[in-house]
Amino acid sequence: MIYETIKMEITSNPEYVGIIRLTTSGIANKIGFSIDDIEDMKVAVSEACTNAIKHSNDNVFYIKYEMLENGLTIEIQDKGKGYDIESTIKPDLSNPKENGLGLFIIQTLMDEVSIESKDKEGTIIKMTKYLGVDI
Amino acid sequence: MIYETIKMEITSNPEYVGIIRLTTSGIANKIGFSIDDIEDMKVAVSEACTNAIKHSNDNVFYIKYEMLENGLTIEIQDKGKGYDIESTIKPDLSNPKENGLGLFIIQTLMDEVSIESKDKEGTIIKMTKYLGVDI
Amino acid sequence: MSMNISSNMGVDNDFWNISLQGELDVSTADKLKEHLHSLADKKIMDMKINLTNLEYIDSTGLGVMIGILKKLKISNKEIYIINPKSNVKKIFTITGLDKIFKVEG
Amino acid sequence: MSMNISSNMGVDNDFWNISLQGELDVSTADKLKEHLHSLADKKIMDMKINLTNLEYIDSTGLGVMIGILKKLKISNKEIYIINPKSNVKKIFTITGLDKIFKVEG
Ligand SMILES: Nc1ncnc2c1ncn2[C@@H]1O[C@H](COP(=O)(O)OP(=O)(O)O)[C@@H](O)[C@H]1O
Ligand SMILES: Nc1ncnc2c1ncn2[C@@H]1O[C@H](COP(=O)(O)OP(=O)(O)O)[C@@H](O)[C@H]1O
């Protein structure tokens, strides 16, 4: 099945993450998500874009929105340095750190999340939220 | 000189024009345009996207935002049927018609507009608005 | 990014009262077109289109209004555009359509 | 898509009163970081961060607050998060940071 899509290619500038949030909320609103779900997706997308901007070392990154019948899949991709997914550690509350919360927040807010990352080839994080589901 | 860009590729669905307006207003706001200028750009971009959706016969179209130091260039492109630019007629007030206002509105609202169209290759309309200029 | 239409007959049954709310663009123009033509099919009389709550309009919306105006003009009826926001009014002005429609407010 | 910070000393000069307005993300986190550290450099005392007008926060904002909290904790000082909107509060809750900061309202 081929879904309708909106794809973006964006210069890696922190200033543009707010614009991406706006676009995300427009798309999610059109699909019919609740205000709370839209807020969740704005945060999740921002976290992924922030990672691409801060960690990929590439000067451009990509977003693909795929309109499902019952939800929205958002893919954030960079063609940067990649990282070892296994070696990232979970946040530890007894010893809170300045970093390491982004991926945890994405996983908490979205219904499905998958990450692929390859050394020197880059990272793809794919996240889906379904309409009217609360898990 | 290479400018920062945001590029989009969008399925030709009228439902998405509102999302493009939202993205456009976010970008224009970030650059520092006034509310009136932002409204103008939203209309101009919508007109160009509407043309790509209604007339190009292609099922996808493209937008490129180029952040200038003193303004914003927006390019709307389709790879559809193209048209003969020379043969489009100016709106005639003594005999108003249902169509033919879109390009006229774009030309009125933006500071610079150029159109390229080739038979069976498609159309590119490039429009620029400068900061703090009123013509 | 959606549009709502409400309409009713004016007090003396001599005009249509129409209110638009939201954004009138390529995704919503057909809805307006059908609505206005169905009113004209019931009775040809002046239309007063209240735009107080219309946030956005472009050529697709103007096209619909020009189409219905042509139908009304045959019977010497008019379209009144009531209380448009400044960005909406601007689109009527730059196209010169403020001289074809009766723009009020 | 911008953020404003205002701050002043509390009535008895025993805490910092800070108000954030707008969106706290990767583009504005550094501004907050510099601001809070410059306050701590003047005087180490409790910080009350009023979030009534903060529309958005994510991990970049949380990171800044954790960083400054570590500095304050050395002297047994606290960060109070005052009156966050529900979407902002949710980010503190899901990360468990509502147990590290004093969230009020
Ligand atoms: N797109 C990416 N490219 C390279 N490394 C990444 C990317 N996304 C995440 N990482 C790695 O995963 C780590 C954890 O990411 P995250 O949970 O978002 O926390 P933070 O960004 O605050 O470190 C990062 O520190 C980084 O090493
Ligand atoms: N992207 C495009 N692809 C093909 N034809 C186009 C395109 N843009 C404009 N045109 C042609 O130019 C004409 C005038 O466009 P416009 O002024 O926007 O008015 P309208 O779209 O209402 O006809 C259209 O009717 C169409 O024939």
Side-chain angles (χ1 to χ4, degrees), chain B residues 14-15 17-19 21-22 36 39-40 42-43 46-47 50 53-54 93 95-99 101-102 104-105 108-109, chain C residues 1 23-27 55-60 62-64 66-68 70 86-87 90-91 94-97 99-100:
Chain B
E15 296 287 328
V17 177
I19 294 164
R21 277 199 295 279
L22 209 58
D36 285 355
E39 287 301 321
D40 289 355
K42 280 163 65 177
V43 176
S46 296
E47 296 290 356
T50 301
I53 293 169
K54 287 204 311 189
L93 258 195
N95 179 22
K97 290 224 198 69
E98 283 95 325
N99 352 311
L101 288 169
F104 174 79
I105 290 177
T108 308
L109 295 178
Chain C
M1 287 172 295
E23 304 198 336
L24 177 49
D25 74 356
V26 60
S27 70
E55 310 295 335
Y56 176 86
I57 197 170
D58 60 27
S59 72
T60 55
L62 298 179
V64 170
I66 294 169
I68 190 83
K70 285 187 177 173
S86 67
N87 60 316
K90 180 171 185 177
I91 304 303
I94 62 171
T95 53
L97 291 173
K99 295 181 187 70
I100 310 286

Side-chain angles (χ1 to χ4, degrees), chain A residues 18 21 39-40 46-47 96, chain D residues 23 25 56 59 70 87 90:
Chain A
R21 278 200 295 279
E39 287 301 322
D40 289 355
S46 295
E47 296 290 356
Chain D
E23 304 199 335
D25 74 356
Y56 177 86
S59 71
K70 285 185 176 173
N87 61 315
K90 179 171 186 178

Side-chain angles (χ1 to χ4, degrees), chain A residues 47-48 51-52 54-56 78 81-83 88 98-104 117 123, chain D residues 59:
Chain A
E47 296 290 356
N51 281 347
K54 287 204 312 189
H55 303 303
S56 82
D78 64 70
K81 70 179 166 78
Y83 70 106
T88 60
E98 282 95 326
N99 353 311
L101 287 170
L103 294 173
F104 174 79
S117 194
T123 304
Chain D
S59 71

Side-chain angles (χ1 to χ4, degrees), chain A residues 16, chain B residues 1-7 27 31 63-69 71-75 126-129:
Chain A
Y16 300 153
Chain B
M1 172 132 200
I2 294 166
Y3 294 110
E4 301 206 329
T5 56
I6 294 181
K7 296 180 195 167
I27 293 171
I31 291 179
I63 308 183
K64 184 167 89 184
Y65 300 89
E66 230 175 64
M67 325 297 165
L68 314 181
E69 262 154 65
L72 176 62
T73 295
I74 310 173
E75 217 177 274
K126 189 172 169 168
M127 40 180 102
T128 300
K129 192 141 193 128

